[in-house]
Amino acid sequence: MSAAGGGIAKRTLTKPGPHDLESFQSVIDLNLIATFNISRLAAFHMAESAPEDDERGVIINTASIAAFEGRIGQIAYSATKAGIAGMNGCVESANQPG
């Protein structure tokens, strides 16, 4: 199970200037890239293991309602959770027996 969740509270544009790219990338790395990394490694290990009752395991990645209903100042967090929600369907389809 993966439930990565970290974020920063920054608006896209403020009086001093735009949201900095470095902190946005940091949240992407923590929440989205790390979730993908754990999922791909878990899928590999499950595929290599012997089935138990015709199953090899389950990958559970949690997202957030922020994926669909972002709040002011949560652009990076919301983007990562939307990415995880979208990724979950792809991971599920890719790991079906075929």
Side-chain angles (χ1 to χ4, degrees), residues 11 20 25 38 40 43 57 81:
R11 292 176 180 250
D20 66 291
Q25 182 68 53
I38 290 168
R40 74 181 185 90
K81 296 308 174 174

Side-chain angles (χ1 to χ4, degrees), residues 7-26:
I8 52 172
K10 290 190 177 182
R11 292 176 180 250
T12 307
L13 182 62
T14 63
K15 288 181 182 180
H19 189 307
D20 66 291
L21 188 56
E22 294 79 19
S23 59
F24 184 88
Q25 182 68 53
S26 176

Side-chain angles (χ1 to χ4, degrees), residues 4 8-10 18-19 24 28 37 41 46-47 51 53 61 68-69 71 77 79 83 85-87 91-94:
I8 52 172
K10 290 190 177 182
H19 189 307
F24 184 88
I28 298 291
N37 192 38
L41 295 172
M46 287 189 296
D53 296 327
N61 294 319
F68 310 102
E69 297 179 12
R71 303 275 188 254
Y77 182 79
M87 184 173 59
V91 170
E92 179 182 353
S93 298

Side-chain angles (χ1 to χ4, degrees), residues 52-77:
E52 190 172 306
D53 296 327
D54 294 326
E55 299 287 333
R56 287 192 162 90
V58 175
I59 297 172
I60 300 172
N61 294 319
T62 61
S64 167
I65 192 66
F68 310 102
E69 297 179 12
R71 303 275 188 254
I72 293 172
Q74 289 188 338
I75 190 163
Y77 182 79

Side-chain angles (χ1 to χ4, degrees), residues 25-42:
Q25 182 68 53
S26 176
V27 176
I28 298 291
D29 289 344
L30 172 65
N31 294 350
L32 185 58
I33 303 300
T35 299
F36 169 72
N37 192 38
I38 290 168
S39 296
R40 74 181 185 90
L41 295 172

